């Protein structure tokens, strides 16, 4: 599998601060803060282009991609929001980000949005749900990215059930070319429902012992859930101080 993955490398620039990208595998070599910022921008752009270029999806329906942290703070929200923005920028496709980290989500904050409606407003009106209702419930970033925000109050998350998430995602598939889900980093019922309805799962991990250990546990869990290597892609985030980068 490693040899197969390396044959799929899209671009390699080992003598600069470029990303090594292979359809979900990234290594970031960081030498300074400025280099880190520039690298982040280029790497995220490449992920967006790679996802767009490898889209298969179903006829007439968009592609759903879940982004999952092996450990809190690994960068899933940054990747989710920027991949969506770069899909809008580098292709003729449209994208929506769903904040499924219902209690501690940050998508709206990252995009400097103040949504009028949230996911709980949608699921509480499931009997009225159609594309027009759902469109009116989305916040819009200046880049064109649509956002379905997490509930404003923590306790509101309890009203959102997996069956309702399934209906929302099914409708979003028909409205957008790409639906990017920023999940919580726990294997709860809502997250697994998102995974079951995703075409691709990006597992984000940093290169430190706790994160690597969790990534291994996550990959084992994905295997038990029946997700193959065609569905689960690993994103490594490494800096120059790590053994992997060296």
């Amino acid at each position: 599998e490693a040899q197969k993955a390396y044959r799929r490398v899209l671009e390699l620039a080992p003598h600069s601060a470029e990303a090594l990208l292979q359809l979900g595998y990234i290594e970031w070599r960081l030498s300074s803060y400025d280099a880190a910022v520039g690298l982040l921008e280029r790497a995220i752009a490449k992920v967006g282009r790679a996802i767009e270029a490898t889209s298969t999806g179903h006829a007439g329906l968009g592609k759903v991609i879940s982004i999952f942290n092996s450990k809190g703070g690994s960068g899933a929200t940054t990747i989710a929001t920027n991949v969506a923005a770069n899909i809008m920028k580098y292709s003729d496709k449209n994208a929506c980000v769903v904040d499924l980290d219902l209690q501690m989500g940050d998508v709206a904050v990252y995009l400097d949005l103040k949504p009028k409606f949230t996911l709980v407003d949608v699921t509480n009106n499931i009997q009225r749900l159609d594309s027009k209702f759902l469109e009116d419930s989305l916040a819009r970033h200046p880049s064109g990215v649509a956002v379905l925000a997490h509930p404003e109050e923590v306790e509101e998350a309890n009203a959102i059930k997996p069956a309702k998430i399934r209906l929302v995602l099914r409708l979003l598939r028909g409205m957008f070319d790409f639906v990017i889900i920023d999940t919580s980093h726990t294997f709860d019922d809502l997250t697994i429902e998102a995974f079951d309805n995703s075409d691709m799962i990006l597992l984000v991990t940093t290169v430190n012992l706790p994160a690597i250990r969790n990534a291994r546990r996550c990959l084992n869990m994905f295997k038990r859930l029946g997700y193959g290597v065609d569905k689960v892609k690993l994103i490594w985030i490494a800096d120059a101080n790590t053994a992997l980068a060296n």
Side-chain angles (χ1 to χ4, degrees):
E1 284 299 322
Q3 292 178 352
K4 180 180 178 181
Y6 276 104
R7 287 197 298 269
R8 299 171 70 187
V9 173
L10 299 182
E11 183 176 355
L12 174 61
H15 302 300
S16 66
E18 291 290 341
L20 171 61
L21 169 64
Q22 47 187 77
L23 299 180
Y25 296 78
I26 303 175
E27 179 178 334
W28 292 341
R29 305 174 188 272
L30 309 181
S31 58
S32 69
Y33 176 78
D34 290 340
V37 171
L39 177 56
L40 177 62
E41 292 174 348
R42 292 192 294 275
I44 288 173
K46 289 179 183 179
V47 175
R49 291 195 296 271
I51 290 172
E52 195 279 332
T54 58
S55 173
T56 54
H58 304 290
L61 295 177
K63 190 178 184 74
V64 177
I65 302 165
S66 286
I67 302 182
F68 184 73
N69 270 337
S70 68
K71 188 175 182 294
S74 295
T77 302
T78 299
I79 292 172
T81 53
N82 283 277
V83 164
N86 279 284
I87 287 173
M88 301 289 294
K89 182 176 181 179
Y90 291 104
S91 75
D92 60 353
K93 309 296 185 181
N94 60 5
C96 176
V97 180
V98 179
D99 195 344
L100 207 58
D101 189 351
L102 299 184
Q103 295 188 344
M104 300 296 172
D106 285 320
V107 169
V109 173
Y110 273 50
L111 294 175
D112 195 24
L113 296 174
K114 296 181 179 179
K116 294 181 179 180
F117 304 102
T118 72
L119 182 56
V120 76
D121 296 306
V122 173
T123 57
N124 282 348
N125 290 278
I126 204 73
Q127 71 282 357
R128 299 173 51 198
L129 188 60
D130 57 19
S131 58
K132 177 64 167 58
F133 184 90
L134 189 51
E135 175 66 35
D136 291 343
S137 301
L138 301 174
R140 289 280 180 174
H141 185 261
S143 66
V145 172
V147 173
L148 185 53
H150 70 88
E152 185 66 25
E153 303 299 335
V154 171
E155 61 272 17
E156 291 180 319
N158 296 327
I160 301 176
K161 305 302 180 184
K164 294 181 178 181
I165 292 297
R166 188 184 317 128
L167 292 174
V168 171
L169 292 178
R170 185 180 302 168
L171 193 54
L172 286 173
R173 272 186 183 271
M175 298 168 59
F176 293 92
D177 298 301
F178 291 94
V179 179
I180 313 293
I181 306 175
D182 185 16
T183 71
S184 69
H185 54 275
T186 60
F187 284 93
D188 57 26
D189 290 343
L190 293 178
T191 300
I192 292 175
E193 185 67 40
F195 290 160
D196 285 344
N197 287 275
S198 294
D199 298 285
M200 182 186 295
I201 300 168
L202 301 183
L203 173 61
V204 182
T205 186
T206 54
V207 184
N208 59 66
L209 187 57
I212 292 173
R213 177 177 178 271
N214 284 348
R216 180 179 180 182
R217 297 172 68 199
C218 290
L219 291 172
N220 289 338
M221 183 63 177
F222 289 142
K223 185 176 181 179
R224 291 195 295 273
L225 289 169
Y227 309 147
V229 294
D230 57 329
K231 181 166 182 170
V232 178
K233 306 297 180 183
L234 186 63
I235 297 181
W236 291 94
I237 301 178
D239 64 36
N241 296 320
T242 66
L244 180 63
N246 292 332

